[in-house]
């Protein structure tokens, strides 16, 4: 007896994925669909769209880790369903975080006894870490001002204009004035002397950057500590220092062990570092370490017991995954001091290969320093006909994502390109990037000048007509403003299309 059945329209088991009705119609973009789709179709549709993303390994704009060993990938996937906040349910994961905190604190030369536990916490990144450190500084300053019977409603932080946007977020969200030391051409980090001049009795801390986002340069924390110590003695204040070591915290101890930037300096009270940058872990892990218990006000720490036991917590969020904490511990014990040093040395060497290749073209000024985060920031020597934004745009055709951006005030007329050298950026890739940049330059040389040349010619024409001729800096600022507007409009139009 032959059995048969009628295949319903919803039965996709006999259809090819791309022959099914689920790929023949546009999926809803704003409202949840009424009906379900097969798991194979859902996967294929999403996977196809994601193919249009850039390749993370070729995303040279990002400091964030894009490769880990398969063994660590497996640990991450095995722990993907563990909520880190359930400390009583996952005590081993909590213990691994505490081990990471202690290891990093010792790496930063915290003044701890051999068996003394460090004071710190894992976060979802340096942004949260900076928020927590800033809150600790603010509360400690407020408590001191209240005890002295002085106003405590106008706290401020002194930073360089090169700080990452998370500092601006902290200042705005938690009502702290951000006093920025302006940059200048050829000096793209905070000047310690100018920073100390801006300190007053309402300054809750001075934030120094160990590895500027703009050019990778380390700020002089030692000089800042010395100048601030002198001012504190003269004024009777006790203004402390926070070091934002998001990028440089896992570099300096291995490449520049003699550099004094950490808890060896008495005014450094807290340090943040991104585990997902040169800590070599995928995105989603940061750390903040305090010098001692006295530097973290007890009233900021919450205690909960509804998950099974008393649990102290000092975070901005609550639930988060455990995978990145486990991955950080894996890297610390897998690589050890020797392994981290080898990785950082290799990154530095590849940065030098790229820098030398760019210098040989004769077309670029190198803006970054050899001493600092392994990256290369560079600008065109002559951008009258074509500029850095065009180079960035054309490199995307080869798959490279290389950002072009303007410096902050008062160096906003300077435009640079930046290539971040990560662990998975090999020497072969560095050499290939130089070749592709040369191809882009050759092609640009054959193209007519764009708006920057027109602006320059317009300025010369105005000069001939008796009007004031624009300086090179003024012309470059107009060019920069145009390109920023152009890029912004393109992004807006893409969003409208989507």
């Amino acid at each position: 007896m032959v059995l048969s059945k009628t295949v319903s329209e919803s039965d996709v088991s006999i259809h090819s994925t791309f022959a099914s009705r689920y790929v023949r119609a546009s999926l809803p973009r704003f409202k949840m669909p009424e009906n379900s789709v097969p798991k194979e179709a859902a996967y294929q549709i999403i996977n196809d769209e994601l193919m249009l993303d850039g390749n993370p390994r070729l995303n040279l704009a990002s400091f964030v880790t894009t490769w880990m060993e398969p063994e660590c990938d497996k640990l991450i996937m095995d722990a993907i369903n563990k909520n880190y906040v359930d400390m009583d349910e996952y005590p081993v994961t909590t213990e691994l975080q505490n081990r990471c905190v202690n290891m990093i604190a010792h790496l930063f030369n915290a003044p701890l006894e051999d068996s003394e536990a460090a004071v710190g916490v894992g976060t979802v990144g340096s942004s949260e870490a900076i928020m927590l450190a800033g809150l600790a500084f603010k509360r400690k300053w407020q408590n001191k001002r209240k005890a002295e019977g002085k106003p405590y409603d106008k706290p401020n932080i002194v930073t360089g204009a090169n700080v990452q946007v998370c500092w601006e977020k902290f200042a705005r969200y938690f009502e702290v004035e951000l006093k920025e030391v302006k940059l200048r051409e050829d000096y793209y980090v905070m000047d310690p002397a100018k920073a100390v001049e801006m300190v007053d009795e309402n300054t809750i801390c001075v934030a120094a950057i160990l590895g500027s986002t703009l050019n990778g340069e380390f700020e002089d924390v030692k000089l800042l500590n010395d100048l601030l110590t002198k001012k504190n003695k003269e004024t009777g204040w006790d203004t402390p220092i926070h070091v934002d070591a998001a990028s440089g915290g896992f570099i300096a101890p291995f490449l520049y062990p003699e550099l004094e930037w950490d808890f060896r300096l008495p005014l450094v009270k807290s340090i943040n570092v991104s585990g997902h940058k040169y800590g070599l872990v995928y995105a989603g892990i940061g750390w903040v370490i305090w010098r001692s218990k006295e530097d973290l006000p007890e009233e900021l720490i919450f205690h909960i017991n509804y998950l099974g036991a008393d649990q102290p917590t000092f975070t901005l969020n609550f639930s988060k995954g455990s995978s990145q904490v486990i991955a950080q511990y894996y890297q610390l014990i897998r690589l050890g001091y020797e392994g981290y040093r080898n990785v950082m040395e290799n990154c530095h060497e590849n940065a030098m290969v790229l820098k030398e290749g760019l210098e040989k073209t004769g077309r670029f000024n190198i803006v970054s320093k050899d001493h600092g985060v392994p990256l290369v920031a560079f600008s065109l020597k002559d951008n009258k006909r074509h500029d850095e934004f065009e180079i960035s745009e054309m490199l995307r055709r080869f798959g490279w994502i290389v950002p072009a951006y303007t410096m902050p005030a008062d160096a906003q007329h300077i435009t640079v390109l930046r290539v971040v050298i990560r662990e998975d950026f090999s020497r072969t890739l560095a050499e290939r990037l130089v070749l592709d940049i040369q191809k882009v330059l050759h092609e640009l040389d054959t193209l007519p000048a764009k708006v920057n040349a027109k602006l320059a010619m317009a300025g010369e024409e105005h000069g001939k007509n008796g009007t004031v001729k624009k300086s090179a800096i003024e012309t470059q600022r107009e060019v920069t403003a145009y390109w920023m507007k152009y890029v912004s409009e393109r992004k807006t139009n893409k969003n409208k299309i989507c």
Side-chain angles (χ1 to χ4, degrees):
M1 179 177 178
V2 178
L3 298 176
S4 64
K5 71 171 185 175
T6 303
V7 180
S8 68
E9 187 179 352
S10 62
D11 187 350
V12 296
S13 61
I14 65 169
H15 292 304
S16 160
T17 299
F18 291 105
S20 71
R21 63 188 176 91
Y22 301 104
V23 297
R24 298 183 183 184
S26 298
L27 287 179
R29 294 170 184 260
F30 303 104
K31 293 183 180 180
M32 186 183 296
E34 291 293 330
N35 300 316
S36 303
V37 299
K39 59 183 182 294
E40 297 86 357
Y43 170 83
Q44 193 66 56
I45 292 166
I46 295 171
N47 185 65
D48 288 352
E49 281 204 87
L50 289 174
M51 289 193 303
L52 299 175
D53 270 346
N55 183 338
R57 294 278 304 277
L58 299 181
N59 178 11
L60 307 183
S62 178
F63 292 82
V64 175
T65 297
T66 54
W67 178 87
M68 296 187 74
E69 292 176 327
E71 292 79 6
C72 192
D73 288 345
K74 187 176 187 306
L75 283 173
I76 288 172
M77 293 310 300
D78 289 346
I80 200 74
N81 58 351
K82 286 185 181 180
N83 186 359
Y84 173 76
V85 78
D86 295 338
M87 298 180 185
D88 196 48
E89 288 79 358
Y90 307 122
V92 175
T93 300
T94 302
E95 170 63 19
L96 295 188
Q97 186 221 225
N98 295 339
R99 293 178 192 176
C100 289
V101 167
N102 286 317
M103 289 180 184
I104 295 169
H106 281 283
L107 190 65
F108 295 167
N109 294 292
L112 300 168
E113 300 297 331
D114 289 341
S115 59
E116 184 181 357
V119 181
V121 66
T123 63
V124 294
S126 275
S127 291
E128 184 189 5
I130 284 167
M131 303 280 178
L132 297 178
L135 284 171
F137 283 119
K138 182 181 179 183
R139 183 57 59 90
K140 192 169 182 180
W141 173 83
Q142 287 177 325
N143 290 344
K144 183 174 185 293
R145 298 284 289 182
K146 288 178 185 178
E148 295 172 346
K150 296 178 180 178
Y152 54 90
D153 59 333
K154 294 182 179 179
N156 68 66
I157 284 181
V158 175
T159 70
N162 57 314
V163 291
Q164 215 262 0
V165 69
C166 59
W167 283 98
E168 298 176 39
K169 289 182 179 180
F170 168 77
R172 190 176 303 178
Y173 295 166
F174 297 103
E175 298 181 322
V176 176
E177 179 189 2
L178 191 66
K179 299 171 71 173
E180 293 185 340
V181 179
K182 303 300 182 186
L183 309 185
R184 62 180 185 271
E185 190 168 349
D186 296 326
Y187 196 91
Y188 302 116
V189 292
M190 179 180 70
D191 184 330
K194 291 183 178 179
V196 172
E197 287 176 7
M198 297 176 73
V199 170
D200 58 34
E201 63 179 349
N202 293 321
T203 302
I204 64 175
C205 78
V206 180
I209 312 299
L210 193 78
S212 171
T213 301
L214 302 177
N215 69 344
E217 189 173 351
F218 291 169
E219 293 180 346
D220 193 339
V221 188
K222 175 69 165 60
L223 177 57
L224 176 65
N225 179 85
D226 294 344
L227 294 175
L228 194 53
T229 298
K230 181 180 178 182
K231 184 162 187 173
N232 283 343
K233 287 182 180 179
E234 293 172 351
T235 60
W237 304 333
D238 56 356
T239 307
I241 295 172
H242 174 84
V243 179
D244 179 357
S247 298
F250 277 109
I251 296 171
F254 306 107
L255 289 186
Y256 316 106
E258 302 305 317
L259 180 68
E260 293 184 52
W261 63 273
D262 52 20
F263 292 120
R264 285 171 288 183
L265 304 175
L267 290 184
V268 175
K269 303 299 183 183
S270 56
I271 300 171
N272 69 276
V273 64
S274 292
H276 59 220
K277 292 182 180 176
Y278 288 94
L280 308 179
V281 179
Y282 293 136
I285 186 69
W287 305 93
V288 57
I289 311 293
W290 282 272
R291 185 183 193 89
S292 67
K293 292 180 180 179
E294 290 71 30
D295 297 307
L296 176 57
E298 177 63 31
E299 64 261 35
L300 293 178
I301 301 173
F302 290 83
H303 294 266
I304 61 171
N305 62 10
Y306 56 81
L307 293 175
D310 179 68
Q311 298 174 10
T313 175
F314 180 39
T315 58
L316 293 182
N317 65 309
F318 195 62
S319 294
K320 70 174 182 179
S322 298
S323 296
Q324 266 63 13
V325 171
I326 295 168
Q328 183 71 82
Y329 185 65
Y330 172 91
Q331 292 290 52
L332 291 172
I333 66 166
R334 159 77 175 97
L335 296 174
Y337 193 95
E338 176 191 26
Y340 269 96
R341 185 182 65 243
N342 288 338
V343 170
M344 301 312 153
E345 287 176 349
N346 188 51
C347 289
H348 177 75
E349 290 170 7
N350 287 334
M352 293 303 98
V353 169
L354 177 60
K355 174 194 168 187
E356 291 166 7
L358 293 171
E359 287 177 327
K360 287 179 181 178
T361 68
R363 303 285 291 270
F364 297 105
N365 291 314
I366 304 299
V367 177
S368 52
K369 307 293 183 182
D370 294 350
H371 185 91
V373 177
L375 63 80
V376 183
F378 51 103
S379 60
L380 283 166
K381 290 181 178 179
D382 182 1
N383 56 10
K384 291 179 181 177
R385 285 180 52 80
H386 298 284
D387 62 22
E388 293 82 0
F389 292 101
E390 291 174 76
I391 294 176
S392 175
E393 186 84 8
M394 293 182 72
L395 280 173
R396 283 182 174 264
R397 296 187 321 189
F398 296 92
W400 303 108
I401 301 174
V402 178
Y405 54 88
T406 57
M407 289 293 192
D410 284 331
Q412 60 266 45
H413 60 285
I414 304 297
T415 306
V416 300
L417 294 148
R418 187 195 67 205
V419 174
V420 178
I421 309 299
R422 299 189 302 270
E423 178 187 14
D424 55 347
F425 187 80
S426 65
R427 182 159 304 192
T428 300
L429 287 177
E431 293 169 348
R432 181 57 184 263
L433 177 59
V434 172
L435 292 175
D436 288 342
I437 289 174
Q438 290 175 331
K439 292 176 185 177
V440 167
L441 290 173
H442 177 73
E443 185 172 348
L444 285 174
D445 288 340
T446 66
L447 297 176
K450 287 196 174 181
V451 66
N452 42 1
K454 295 176 183 177
L455 285 170
M457 289 187 289
E460 292 177 3
E461 198 63 36
H462 285 310
K464 293 177 183 177
N465 295 335
T467 56
V468 178
K469 183 179 179 179
K470 294 179 182 178
S471 67
I473 289 179
E474 289 173 330
T475 301
Q476 179 61 20
R477 283 175 176 166
E478 285 195 33
V479 172
T480 300
Y482 171 87
W483 274 104
M484 290 177 71
K485 180 181 177 183
Y486 171 75
V487 171
S488 177
E489 287 176 349
R490 285 199 63 183
K491 288 181 178 178
T492 301
N493 291 334
K494 285 182 180 179
N495 290 336
K496 288 180 179 178
I497 292 171
C498 292

